[in-house]
């Protein structure tokens, strides 16, 4: 994803009817935002006397989150490319039977790829979440709400990616492949949805009077 | 919020230990992303023969969402400013009893303000959600996953803002005011959390084989 683009340009392109960026791109972006906020909490923990015993752990987590952030950006870019490929396949000629067959096969192939990119976003979130949990548990308590927002963003990243997996699978001809992709996605979705909800409930309660 | 900033700069500042932007800013940004994605679905519906009967409604929704997007950006900016004011108040001198009193009162005032900005984000999301529901119901079906991602982002915007309301309320001395702010926030949180969960379930089911 082109990170030299300014925020105004990104939002203008998002709102527009241009094919990309769309919801799949935003889902991956949420993963990058979650990683970035998590890294912020690490940075607000590192160097503080009170948290000296978790300093090394926070440095290591921060380094991992910086890598994850980049990987989410790559996935956001891949999502744009995958969608463009589907659009290209739809534009192929469909006069002769042979052309129709080539076109259908290219659409199918591009759609499988367009389902696999958000599957990868879901997997990355699955790796990200335990890191954010540790940060919420052990990081600077003054930034616990930030860790919570990062966890909520992970939930949305997974939810958004899941919807993109499903819409692509729903238009596949090969329903055996579709079912396989869906099944794997469903397992991650259920686990992250439940896990994030629990974590958010604990964080919420910690802010309420006893 | 400075929209001339490029994405890389925004993410670098977010990850850093600089006080802003933080989780409250990102929560408001999620509202802007939701508005923008909603406007995209309107743009992909307007001008399509199949959706001619909802054309006027989509134009009107799009115009509203463009205003909402700007309002969320303003709230994101206000969140930065509110947090900066809390930080400034903490830096006030605290030698004499009089100084301590002034400082405490300034911290209290700034913290109430820092709880009110995310409350406003929650209210804006409360206005946004029915618009997104209409877009999901009546907009271009090919973009239903995008409408779903917008709804998921609204949920996260509310969740993130709610955590920011709570963390600020938890540090107020005046627990009567804190309880009032919390009560109102809690009502919106419960309603949006339930409402978005239901909408997302319906969208998810629509993509699954019958």
């Amino acid at each position: 994803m082109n990170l030299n683009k300014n925020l105004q340009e990104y939002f203008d392109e998002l709102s527009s009817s241009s094919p990309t960026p769309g919801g799949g791109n935003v889902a991956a972006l949420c993963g990058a935002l979650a990683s970035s906020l998590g890294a912020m909490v690490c940075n607000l923990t590192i160097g503080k006397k009170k948290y000296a015993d978790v300093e090394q752990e926070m440095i290591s987590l921060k380094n991992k989150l910086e890598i994850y952030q980049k990987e989410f950006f790559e996935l956001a870019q891949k999502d744009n490319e995958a969608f463009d490929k589907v659009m290209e396949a739809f534009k192929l000629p469909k006069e002769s039977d042979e052309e129709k067959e080539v076109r259908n096969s290219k659409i199918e192939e591009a759609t499988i790829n367009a389902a696999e990119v958000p599957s990868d976003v879901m997997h990355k979130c699955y790796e990200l979440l335990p890191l954010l949990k540790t940060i919420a548990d052990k990081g600077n308590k003054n930034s616990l709400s930030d860790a919570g927002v990062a966890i909520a963003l992970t939930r949305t990243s997974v939810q958004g990616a899941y919807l993109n997996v499903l819409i692509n699978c729903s238009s596949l001809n090969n329903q055996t492949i579709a079912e396989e992709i869906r099944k794997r996605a469903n397992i991650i979705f259920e686990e992250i949805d439940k896990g994030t909800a629990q974590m958010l409930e604990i964080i919420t309660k910690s802010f309420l009077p006893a």
Side-chain angles (χ1 to χ4, degrees), chain A:
Chain A
M1 210 164 118
N2 177 9
L3 295 170
N4 291 321
K5 200 168 279 182
N6 71 36
L7 289 165
Q8 185 69 61
E9 280 174 279
Y10 178 78
F11 274 88
D12 286 349
E13 284 181 13
L14 185 60
S15 308
S16 79
S17 61
S18 76
T20 58
N25 177 281
V26 175
L29 194 77
C30 285
L33 282 168
S35 307
S36 185
L37 258 182
M40 180 188 94
V41 181
C42 294
N43 278 320
L44 289 165
T45 308
I46 296 163
K48 296 271 193 302
K49 258 191 204 165
K50 199 178 160 186
Y51 298 97
D53 56 329
V54 294
E55 171 123 346
Q56 283 312 311
E57 195 172 2
M58 288 293 145
I59 291 171
S60 151
L61 285 165
K62 188 192 98 155
N63 292 337
K64 278 185 196 160
L65 289 172
E66 282 168 359
I67 296 168
Y68 281 24
Q69 188 186 306
K70 277 186 198 136
E71 288 173 343
F72 278 114
F73 283 138
E74 282 163 19
L75 287 165
Q77 177 58 30
K78 275 189 188 169
D79 194 86
N80 287 354
E81 288 163 8
F83 194 79
D84 286 339
K85 270 184 197 158
V86 174
M87 292 293 106
E88 274 168 34
F90 269 102
K91 282 177 197 153
L92 287 172
K94 48 177 177 176
E95 296 298 312
S96 68
D97 283 354
E98 207 196 322
E99 280 178 347
K100 277 182 199 164
E101 206 178 302
V102 169
R103 181 174 174 271
N104 283 342
S105 133
K106 288 280 177 196
I107 291 173
E108 184 84 356
E109 197 184 302
T111 307
I112 292 175
N113 181 46
E116 278 169 351
V117 176
S119 296
D120 290 348
V121 171
M122 295 180 81
H123 275 96
K124 192 43 58 193
C125 286
Y126 188 80
E127 291 175 38
L128 169 65
L129 191 59
L131 276 57
L132 296 178
K133 189 184 180 307
T134 306
I135 289 168
D137 288 344
K138 302 184 184 175
N140 191 329
K141 282 295 156 228
N142 293 332
S143 304
L144 182 56
S145 58
D146 300 304
V149 178
I151 289 167
L153 281 160
T154 307
R155 183 187 212 177
T156 288
S157 181
V158 164
Q159 171 78 68
Y162 185 49
L163 291 175
N164 277 277
V165 168
L166 295 183
I167 196 169
N168 283 300
C169 284
S170 72
S171 67
L172 285 179
N173 288 322
N174 186 334
Q175 277 298 308
T176 314
I177 291 183
E179 192 50 34
E180 264 176 44
I181 300 175
R182 264 198 299 258
K183 238 185 211 168
R184 274 178 288 146
N186 192 49
I187 293 169
I188 296 190
F189 172 73
E190 295 284 350
E191 195 164 329
I192 298 271
D193 199 54
K194 214 166 127 181
T196 51
Q198 281 172 348
M199 289 176 208
L200 289 166
E201 209 184 317
I202 293 169
I203 295 174
T204 299
K205 278 190 183 156
S206 78
F207 293 137
L208 297 176

